Amino acid sequence: MDKDIFVKLLQQRQFKAVRSILDVMNEVDIASLLSDLDDKELALAFRLIPKDKAAEVFSNMDSTMQTYLVEMFTEKELKELLDDLYMDDTVDMLEELPANLVSRILDTVSSSDRLMINELLNYPDDSAGSIMTTEYVDIRKSMTVAQAMAHIKETGIHKETIYTCYVTERRQLIGTVSAKELMTEDDNTLIAELMETEIISVHTHTDQEEVAQLLRKYDLLALPVLDAENYMVGIVTFDDAMDVMVEETTEDITKMAAMSPSEKPYFATSVFAHARHRIPWLLVLMFSATVTGTIITRYENAFNAIPLLVSFIPMLMDTGGNCGSQSSTLVIRGIALDEIHFKDLFKVMFKEFRISVIVGLVLALANGVRIFIMYQNATLAFVIACSLAATIVVAKLIGCLLPLCAKQIHLDPAIMASPLITTLVDTFSILIYFNIATVFFHL
Amino acid sequence: MDKDIFVKLLQQRQFKAVRSILDVMNEVDIASLLSDLDDKELALAFRLIPKDKAAEVFSNMDSTMQTYLVEMFTEKELKELLDDLYMDDTVDMLEELPANLVSRILDTVSSSDRLMINELLNYPDDSAGSIMTTEYVDIRKSMTVAQAMAHIKETGIHKETIYTCYVTERRQLIGTVSAKELMTEDDNTLIAELMETEIISVHTHTDQEEVAQLLRKYDLLALPVLDAENYMVGIVTFDDAMDVMVEETTEDITKMAAMSPSEKPYFATSVFAHARHRIPWLLVLMFSATVTGTIITRYENAFNAIPLLVSFIPMLMDTGGNCGSQSSTLVIRGIALDEIHFKDLFKVMFKEFRISVIVGLVLALANGVRIFIMYQNATLAFVIACSLAATIVVAKLIGCLLPLCAKQIHLDPAIMASPLITTLVDTFSILIYFNIATVFFHL
């Protein structure tokens, strides 16, 4: 839908046309269309959205728009919206709203919902509890398929997913049945006969990344969440898991580039916030790099005697940094995907060692030949080639070692990425280089 | 399940116990348990898996295990397996099997399946066609809810997902109905009244990354795939989309660390393959870095006069590289998540410019003060601070510019990451540094 046409229709008060447009549009697209409107038009347009779509459009909006709308709503409108919103979307919204609007909303919902919301708001950020929804289909093992289907027909419309039904007994989860089975099995079959009793579940405090990994590993639509007493309290659905996966990966990638992750997208983050996320690591790395600088001054005699030596510093430092980053990147990603563990430390190091020998030989040879041709100086070619090969081996070992050690001492492996590895490898490469040069050139 | 106990039971031929264990285990876990077994034990254990789980266990195995099993199977076993495998899993397997086994399998399946498989095998890698399945629920708009449910009961058990039903008319897709609606609506309602006619679909040649993005954006369980004539030919399900997302992100991260992506996990890739993936970019970057080296030699007089100047090279180069990587990383991720586009070029550059001014001032000040205190030399402190600030501004602009330009000319933005940016920024930082130094120290 073209935004300009839509705004024109709104301004000309062609409400019938606007309503027809909103009627055929997808909820996600409506939310994105509305995000381009002014506040006044937004409130107007939102009220023209068909009732059965309004809650879903709302849950797809960003928090600035949600805040504005909640402020504008009458009591009645607010109540209608809250009735239609899923519990996890309500909680997501509340986490972002200013305090006065939160209390207004808590005053509007029923007292049982209020209790539930308060409980959900108390789960730690990034835990299963904070992303779960409490609306799931709950059945008994004594039901038949037909009874379960009748139960879903009655209550299902308000549940976020009905495709996995949870069999509970005294609030304990004892089995699951898929809607596929209910739809394809005989009406008189007992749930007790159908239900799957090997249940994959998480606890309210399980990290959301682990939850997402489990959903992906087992191709699940939803994962049940249990509380400390093993009572079933909610489910996390696949769509939230997909979002968590993307969020967590973005966080990792951001950390790997020496920044603190931002909760908001690039453009929504202010210039000052961006600067604040970037400066701390840059300062640390900058001061660490001065160590390498100080070491260089120790070899002043060497490069005063052969000034050409200085010109190979960037090539050695960059190649070392790149080799180290390659190894650390693969190991960090392997850890994130649960493919590499600390117990594999020696296996990884041995593999990286063999790789680094091949890589080192090829690069040393290529560069040695180039230098010999350019400068007709065999000793120089040999010194550079040796330094390069040794730097590459050290770089790859540091690159694979650090992320695994970080993981082991419960630091985020993602910080052991390119920037830090590069700074560390720099120091080693300079030491290796000038030591080899000093020996071979008798400096 | 403990692997050692399982192997012991197998060796002692305690088949009843093994069967009971396999009976309560999840398919994904069985596949992972079996991956630790020897070939002989594997064949034995696979034959003990309950019939209704065997196909799913098989589809969760890696291609080496699948190849071995297919070789071992009798005609009858192979036929049974193929009957139970979903079409997309069959095609996934065929893509990895050696040619003789592929023909054996094509000889085993029915001729209609053979046609279908050959068609699926012909779609380009990474396209919607190559990851779709052809088994979906197909209904008519003239059906009632009850008729549709009866149709599903009859045919649904063999479909990969029955939770979205596709309403077709002369092979054209005209609407979708969710199982949730079928389960909660009145039996006599016509599908024509229920069906959603705003359909989000893709074509067989759509890139799999785009398919995954759409499924995530619209929180869909499955996405219909149309052929060139707009006939419906299959669906892509959410679980495949999750895998695609993880794969594509791994590919991006690998490219961002100057490596060619590997199709296999870290340990499954041989040392030579790892080396082959890493050497080409390292060579390119290494030779590019010699440009910086050559530039340094032009300023031999400068660092012969003031040898201390050399010691600041690592700090300047590293900080420039880190600043550039920060910007390029955020832009590359923003492009991948569809949040940043080429039309935002100037917006991004202006934002990065403002950020770089703040970052540059803070870092220049910190370093200037440090140098002044350490060396009691105001000119030196000023030269380094100025070079640092200028390098940071240039680095951030290069960092945000290159990925966007790459995208525009249909290159993968991920290659414009840390390694390449660092090498480029190095050259600029050395030029800036020695030019400023030459002016202020009158060299």
Side-chain angles (χ1 to χ4, degrees):
Chain A
M1 180 62 211
D2 189 83
K3 185 212 146 186
D4 298 332
I5 300 177
F6 187 80
V7 171
K8 203 163 272 173
L9 287 173
L10 259 185
Q11 283 165 347
Q12 294 177 353
R13 320 231 136 212
Q14 305 249 26
F15 294 148
K16 217 172 145 189
V18 171
R19 218 177 263 130
S20 320
I21 292 168
L22 293 171
D23 212 30
V24 294
M25 273 179 79
N26 180 288
E27 290 85 347
V28 179
D29 296 328
I30 298 179
S32 130
L33 176 67
L34 264 53
S35 73
D36 289 332
L37 303 184
D38 301 334
D39 282 351
K40 229 184 92 189
E41 292 163 359
L42 169 62
L44 187 58
F46 190 83
R47 291 188 169 116
L48 294 170
I49 298 172
K51 261 192 80 44
D52 57 326
K53 283 184 181 175
E56 210 185 319
V57 172
F58 186 85
S59 67
N60 274 298
M61 290 175 164
D62 67 30
S63 58
T64 336
M65 288 164 71
Q66 291 183 337
T67 309
Y68 176 75
L69 285 173
V70 170
E71 271 175 344
M72 292 290 302
F73 283 154
T74 62
E75 285 307 305
K76 187 168 159 281
E77 283 173 327
L78 189 59
K79 202 173 160 0
E80 277 171 5
L81 175 76
L82 291 169
D83 281 347
D84 287 345
L85 270 183
Y86 290 124
M87 196 54 92
D88 56 345
D89 293 328
T90 310
V91 172
D92 279 353
M93 167 186 73
L94 288 175
E95 277 168 346
E96 303 292 330
L97 285 189
N100 61 324
L101 293 181
V102 172
S103 23
R104 189 178 159 208
I105 284 176
L106 290 178
D107 288 345
T108 309
V109 298
S110 69
S111 65
S112 68
D113 277 2
R114 187 157 53 238
L115 262 176
M116 180 89 76
I117 289 173
N118 273 321
E119 207 165 301
L120 287 174
L121 281 172
N122 275 329
Y123 289 116
D125 258 9
D126 301 343
S127 69
S130 75
I131 54 168
M132 73 181 184
T133 184
T134 51
E135 291 129 335
Y136 56 88
V137 176
D138 190 1
I139 55 179
R140 301 280 163 273
K141 68 172 180 186
S142 56
M143 287 179 171
T144 62
V145 164
Q147 284 168 333
M149 290 288 271
H151 176 71
I152 293 172
K153 192 158 222 154
E154 230 169 81
T155 62
I157 197 81
H158 296 296
K159 308 298 182 187
E160 185 158 350
T161 180
I162 59 172
Y163 298 144
T164 312
C165 303
Y166 298 90
V167 189
T168 57
E169 199 167 65
R170 277 176 251 105
R171 288 176 60 206
Q172 301 263 10
L173 178 61
I174 58 167
T176 60
V177 177
S178 73
K180 185 173 179 178
E181 283 168 296
L182 293 180
M183 289 168 78
T184 52
E185 288 289 335
D186 189 77
D187 276 355
N188 300 318
T189 316
L190 274 179
I191 295 300
E193 291 167 41
L194 277 184
M195 72 186 187
E196 188 79 62
T197 49
E198 327 126 34
I199 306 164
I200 297 152
S201 65
V202 293
H203 277 89
T204 45
H205 284 68
T206 307
D207 188 86
Q208 60 174 1
E209 196 168 359
E210 204 184 318
V211 178
Q213 295 278 17
L214 280 174
L215 276 153
R216 181 171 93 86
K217 181 173 174 194
Y218 295 102
D219 290 344
L220 299 172
L221 280 169
L223 199 59
V225 184
L226 313 181
D227 69 7
E229 281 92 43
N230 278 321
Y231 289 139
M232 175 151 180
V233 287
I235 54 171
V236 176
T237 51
F238 77 98
D239 50 322
D240 293 324
M242 279 210 212
D243 292 340
V244 165
M245 269 166 45
V246 172
E247 252 173 54
E248 295 279 343
T249 310
T250 304
E251 219 181 282
D252 274 4
I253 293 178
T254 314
K255 281 189 196 151
M256 285 168 77
M259 293 175 278
S260 328
S262 170
E263 299 251 305
K264 295 181 192 162
Y266 180 81
F267 287 119
T269 310
S270 74
V271 168
F272 279 99
H274 270 297
R276 215 170 43 236
H277 293 150
R278 301 185 194 183
I279 289 174
W281 266 109
L282 287 176
L283 280 175
V284 171
L285 294 168
M286 183 175 78
F287 287 126
S288 314
T290 59
V291 174
T292 314
T294 313
I295 293 173
I296 290 184
T297 54
R298 283 211 270 139
Y299 297 97
E300 212 178 294
N301 294 333
F303 63 80
N304 270 341
I306 311 173
L308 193 58
L309 286 182
V310 175
S311 75
F312 298 104
I313 293 180
M315 185 273 295
L316 277 173
M317 276 177 38
D318 280 352
T319 307
N322 290 335
C323 284
S325 313
Q326 289 182 333
S327 305
S328 72
T329 301
L330 288 184
V331 172
I332 291 168
R333 186 65 181 161
I335 294 174
L337 295 181
D338 210 23
E339 288 169 4
I340 299 179
H341 307 95
F342 187 73
K343 66 173 168 55
D344 303 319
L345 184 65
F346 292 106
K347 208 169 139 196
V348 172
M349 285 184 74
F350 182 50
K351 187 151 199 161
E352 286 300 313
F353 176 72
R354 285 174 295 162
I355 298 169
S356 68
V357 168
I358 300 177
V359 173
L361 284 177
V362 173
L363 265 67
L365 194 70
N367 220 348
V369 169
R370 179 188 73 90
I371 290 165
F372 183 71
I373 294 172
M374 277 182 73
Y375 303 97
Q376 303 289 334
N377 182 337
T379 318
L380 184 67
F382 184 75
V383 165
I384 304 295
C386 282
S387 309
L388 191 60
T391 300
I392 290 172
V393 173
V394 172
K396 291 227 170 270
L397 291 181
I398 295 179
C400 68
L401 187 64
L402 289 191
L404 282 168
C405 293
K407 176 73 186 178
Q408 187 64 3
I409 57 171
H410 302 291
L411 280 174
D412 191 335
I415 59 171
M416 298 299 173
S418 178
L420 194 63
I421 300 281
T422 302
T423 309
L424 279 173
V425 169
D426 281 355
T427 311
F428 283 97
S429 63
I430 294 294
L431 278 174
I432 292 170
Y433 177 41
F434 280 110
N435 274 313
I436 293 180
T438 309
V439 171
F440 281 89
F441 289 114
H442 313 289
L443 297 164
Chain B
M1 182 61 213
D2 189 83
K3 185 211 146 192
D4 298 332
I5 299 178
F6 188 80
V7 171
K8 204 162 273 172
L9 288 174
L10 259 184
Q11 284 166 345
Q12 296 177 353
R13 319 231 136 212
Q14 306 249 22
F15 295 149
K16 218 172 145 187
V18 172
R19 218 177 261 131
S20 321
I21 292 168
L22 292 171
D23 210 31
V24 294
M25 274 179 77
N26 180 288
E27 291 85 348
V28 179
D29 295 328
I30 298 179
S32 129
L33 176 67
L34 264 52
S35 74
D36 288 333
L37 302 186
D38 300 335
D39 282 350
K40 230 184 89 185
E41 292 163 359
L42 169 63
L44 187 58
F46 190 82
R47 291 190 168 116
L48 293 170
I49 298 171
K51 263 194 79 47
D52 57 325
K53 282 183 181 176
E56 209 184 320
V57 172
F58 186 85
S59 67
N60 274 297
M61 288 176 166
D62 67 30
S63 57
T64 334
M65 290 164 70
Q66 290 183 338
T67 308
Y68 176 74
L69 285 174
V70 170
E71 271 176 344
M72 292 290 303
F73 282 155
T74 62
E75 284 309 304
K76 184 163 164 282
E77 282 174 327
L78 189 60
K79 200 170 162 6
E80 277 172 7
L81 175 77
L82 291 169
D83 281 347
D84 286 346
L85 271 182
Y86 291 124
M87 197 54 91
D88 54 346
D89 293 328
T90 309
V91 172
D92 279 354
M93 168 186 70
L94 288 176
E95 277 168 347
E96 304 291 331
L97 284 191
N100 61 322
L101 294 182
V102 172
S103 22
R104 187 177 162 207
I105 284 177
L106 289 179
D107 288 345
T108 310
V109 298
S110 69
S111 65
S112 67
D113 276 3
R114 188 158 50 240
L115 262 175
M116 179 89 77
I117 289 173
N118 274 322
E119 206 165 302
L120 288 173
L121 280 172
N122 275 329
Y123 289 116
D125 258 8
D126 301 345
S127 69
S130 75
I131 54 167
M132 75 182 182
T133 184
T134 50
E135 291 129 334
Y136 55 88
V137 176
D138 190 3
I139 55 178
R140 302 279 163 272
K141 69 173 180 186
S142 55
M143 288 178 173
T144 61
V145 164
Q147 285 168 333
M149 289 288 270
H151 176 71
I152 293 172
K153 193 160 223 151
E154 231 170 83
T155 61
I157 197 80
H158 296 296
K159 310 297 183 188
E160 184 156 352
T161 180
I162 59 172
Y163 298 145
T164 312
C165 303
Y166 298 91
V167 189
T168 56
E169 201 168 64
R170 277 176 251 105
R171 291 176 57 206
Q172 300 263 12
L173 178 62
I174 57 169
T176 60
V177 177
S178 72
K180 185 172 179 176
E181 282 166 297
L182 293 180
M183 289 168 78
T184 52
E185 289 289 336
D186 189 78
D187 277 354
N188 299 318
T189 315
L190 275 178
I191 296 301
E193 290 167 40
L194 278 184
M195 71 184 188
E196 189 78 62
T197 50
E198 326 127 33
I199 304 163
I200 297 153
S201 66
V202 292
H203 277 88
T204 45
H205 284 69
T206 307
D207 189 85
Q208 61 172 359
E209 196 167 3
E210 203 184 318
V211 177
Q213 295 278 17
L214 280 174
L215 275 153
R216 181 171 92 86
K217 180 172 174 195
Y218 293 105
D219 290 344
L220 299 172
L221 280 169
L223 200 58
V225 183
L226 313 181
D227 69 8
E229 282 91 45
N230 276 322
Y231 291 137
M232 175 152 179
V233 287
I235 54 172
V236 176
T237 50
F238 78 98
D239 50 323
D240 294 324
M242 278 209 210
D243 292 340
V244 166
M245 270 167 43
V246 171
E247 255 173 55
E248 295 280 345
T249 310
T250 304
E251 218 181 281
D252 274 3
I253 293 178
T254 314
K255 282 191 196 149
M256 285 168 78
M259 292 174 278
S260 329
S262 170
E263 298 249 307
K264 296 180 191 163
Y266 180 81
F267 287 120
T269 310
S270 72
V271 168
F272 279 98
H274 270 297
R276 215 171 41 237
H277 293 151
R278 300 185 194 183
I279 290 174
W281 266 109
L282 286 176
L283 279 175
V284 171
L285 294 168
M286 183 176 77
F287 288 125
S288 315
T290 59
V291 175
T292 314
T294 315
I295 293 173
I296 289 184
T297 55
R298 282 212 271 141
Y299 296 97
E300 211 177 296
N301 294 334
F303 62 81
N304 271 340
I306 312 174
L308 194 57
L309 285 182
V310 176
S311 76
F312 297 106
I313 292 179
M315 186 273 294
L316 276 173
M317 276 177 37
D318 280 352
T319 307
N322 289 336
C323 284
S325 312
Q326 288 182 334
S327 305
S328 71
T329 302
L330 288 184
V331 172
I332 291 169
R333 187 66 182 159
I335 294 173
L337 295 181
D338 209 24
E339 287 168 5
I340 299 180
H341 307 95
F342 187 73
K343 67 174 169 53
D344 303 319
L345 184 66
F346 291 106
K347 211 168 139 197
V348 173
M349 285 185 73
F350 182 52
K351 187 149 200 163
E352 286 300 313
F353 176 72
R354 286 175 294 162
I355 298 168
S356 68
V357 169
I358 301 176
V359 172
L361 284 178
V362 173
L363 264 68
L365 194 69
N367 221 347
V369 168
R370 179 188 73 90
I371 290 165
F372 184 71
I373 294 172
M374 277 181 72
Y375 302 96
Q376 304 289 334
N377 182 337
T379 317
L380 183 67
F382 184 74
V383 166
I384 304 294
C386 282
S387 308
L388 192 60
T391 300
I392 289 172
V393 173
V394 172
K396 289 223 170 277
L397 291 181
I398 294 179
C400 68
L401 188 64
L402 288 192
L404 281 168
C405 294
K407 176 76 185 171
Q408 187 64 7
I409 57 170
H410 302 290
L411 280 176
D412 191 335
I415 59 170
M416 298 300 174
S418 178
L420 195 64
I421 301 280
T422 302
T423 309
L424 279 173
V425 168
D426 280 356
T427 311
F428 283 97
S429 64
I430 294 292
L431 279 174
I432 292 170
Y433 177 41
F434 280 110
N435 274 312
I436 293 181
T438 310
V439 171
F440 282 88
F441 287 114
H442 313 291
L443 297 165

